[in-house]
């Protein structure tokens, strides 16, 4: 599969300090790639730079096209960002929140088109949120909100998805549902890049990983080679315990 995202010599400065320093890596279409690393490693800053939220130095390519050559709507049609939490405070319906993902396609239009409505319907179906469509977003549980935010990203029809700690506020059941959705999307050809903290979840649900520390890449490659004592142990100051964590799966899932 071709690269969904590739970055070269990426640098992000916040508060006068380089929080991301000469970072180079790629994430492929058809894969779930995890951005791993201790707190303060620069993971969230990277995805925000990729999404166009933070200024950066260096090169970013989205499906082979330079991000600097894209205007705001053009970038939003190619890469979609799912934050940890929504800042939405108005009582919009779920359908209206998901429709926000179509703004990059409107080009000044007010009324939605048949294609807009189809994209919203497909996003609701993929995230299993169609039953929530008329509910107020503010009445939803955290797990439901996260799925709706993912639906909004899918409504853009972007093939590259960026997620910042998508399961950080979720219980184990909702977290597994989100991971299962990301896995299905990758199987359908999406490129998924997600900031993750739990290493056991990264090992279970990601294909490839990029390990960061203090704003720099320490290692990248297949997740099972990255989450090893030699690589991860020294970064986190831990010892890996084989089969040392409880495992979970959704009912009916293949062991």
């Amino acid at each position: 599969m071709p690269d969904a995202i590739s970055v070269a010599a990426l640098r992000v400065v916040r508060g006068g300090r380089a929080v991301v320093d000469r970072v180079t890596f790629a994430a492929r279409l058809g894969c779930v790639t995890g951005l791993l690393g201790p707190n303060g490693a620069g993971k969230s800053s990277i995805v925000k730079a990729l999404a166009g939220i933070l200024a950066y130095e260096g090169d970013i390519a989205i499906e082979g096209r330079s991000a600097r050559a894209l205007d705001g709507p053009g970038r939003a049609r190619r890469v979609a960002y799912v934050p940890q939490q929504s800042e939405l405070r108005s009582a919009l319906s779920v359908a209206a929140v998901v429709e926000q993902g179509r703004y990059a396609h409107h080009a000044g239009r007010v009324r939605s088109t048949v294609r807009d409505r189809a994209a919203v319907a497909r996003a609701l179906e993929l995230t299993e949120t169609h039953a929530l469509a008329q509910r107020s977003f503010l009445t939803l549980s955290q797990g439901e909100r996260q799925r709706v935010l993912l639906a909004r990203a899918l409504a853009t029809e972007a093939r590259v998805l960026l997620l910042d700690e998508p399961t950080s506020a979720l219980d184990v059941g909702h977290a597994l549902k989100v991971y299962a959705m990301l896995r299905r999307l990758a199987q359908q050809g999406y490129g998924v890049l997600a900031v993750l903290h739990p290493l056991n979840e990264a090992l279970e649900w990601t294909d490839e990983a990029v390990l960061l520390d203090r704003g720099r890449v320490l290692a990248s490659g297949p997740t099972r080679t990255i989450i090893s004592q030699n690589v991860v142990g020294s970064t986190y100051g831990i010892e890996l315990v084989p089969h040392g964590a409880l495992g979970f799966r959704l009912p009916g899932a293949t062991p």
Side-chain angles (χ1 to χ4, degrees):
M1 281 283 188
D3 290 340
I5 287 273
S6 61
V7 302
L10 184 69
R11 190 169 187 265
V12 177
V13 176
R14 304 183 73 174
R17 183 175 67 89
V19 294
V20 177
D21 192 13
R22 298 193 298 274
V23 161
T24 297
F25 71 90
R28 295 183 296 148
L29 293 171
C31 290
V32 180
T33 302
L35 278 181
L36 313 180
N39 292 334
K43 304 181 295 298
S44 293
S45 294
I46 288 173
V47 294
K48 288 177 180 177
L50 297 177
I53 298 170
L54 292 180
Y56 66 91
E57 300 171 16
D59 297 314
I60 295 174
I62 304 169
E63 293 189 83
R65 187 168 180 182
S66 171
R68 297 192 189 279
L70 300 169
D71 60 12
R75 191 184 193 125
R77 290 192 295 268
R78 290 168 174 80
V79 59
Y81 170 67
V82 181
Q84 288 186 43
Q85 295 183 358
S86 172
E87 299 299 322
L88 182 64
R89 294 295 178 264
S90 59
L92 292 176
S93 70
V94 164
V97 172
V98 177
E99 286 169 7
Q100 292 176 343
R102 299 302 298 166
Y103 287 174
H105 296 267
H106 283 176
R109 286 186 289 105
V110 176
R111 293 187 177 182
S112 63
T113 65
V114 171
R115 179 174 174 178
D116 290 333
R117 292 190 289 274
V120 169
R122 182 172 183 270
L124 291 168
E125 179 182 358
L126 285 172
T127 55
E128 300 176 359
T129 52
H130 40 75
L132 305 174
Q134 301 310 313
R135 291 262 306 273
S136 165
F137 182 79
L138 299 182
T139 68
L140 303 181
S141 70
Q142 191 62 42
E144 290 169 335
R145 290 186 182 193
Q146 197 65 22
R147 284 189 287 147
V148 171
L149 294 177
L150 178 56
R152 183 176 66 180
L154 292 173
T156 67
E157 297 184 295
R159 292 210 305 164
V160 181
L161 303 175
L162 309 173
L163 301 99
D164 192 356
E165 297 188 45
T167 62
S168 62
L170 305 186
D171 62 45
V172 63
H174 282 107
L176 289 175
K177 288 179 181 178
V178 168
Y179 283 130
M181 286 177 195
L182 298 181
R183 170 65 68 200
R184 288 196 298 270
L185 290 169
Q187 290 170 346
Q188 293 174 30
Y190 287 83
V192 179
L193 180 65
V195 173
L196 300 175
H197 270 294
L199 296 181
N200 58 320
E201 294 178 9
L203 190 62
E204 179 70 21
W205 292 101
T206 69
D207 304 295
E208 299 182 346
V210 180
L211 180 64
L212 299 140
D213 190 23
R214 300 176 186 176
R216 296 189 175 186
V217 173
L218 297 184
S220 63
T223 305
R224 292 192 175 276
T225 66
I226 300 302
I227 301 181
S228 63
Q229 181 61 49
N230 289 341
V231 180
V232 165
S234 58
T235 304
Y236 288 86
I238 59 173
E239 292 185 6
L240 270 64
V241 180
H243 313 296
L246 287 174
F248 305 93
R249 62 173 179 260
L250 293 170
T254 304

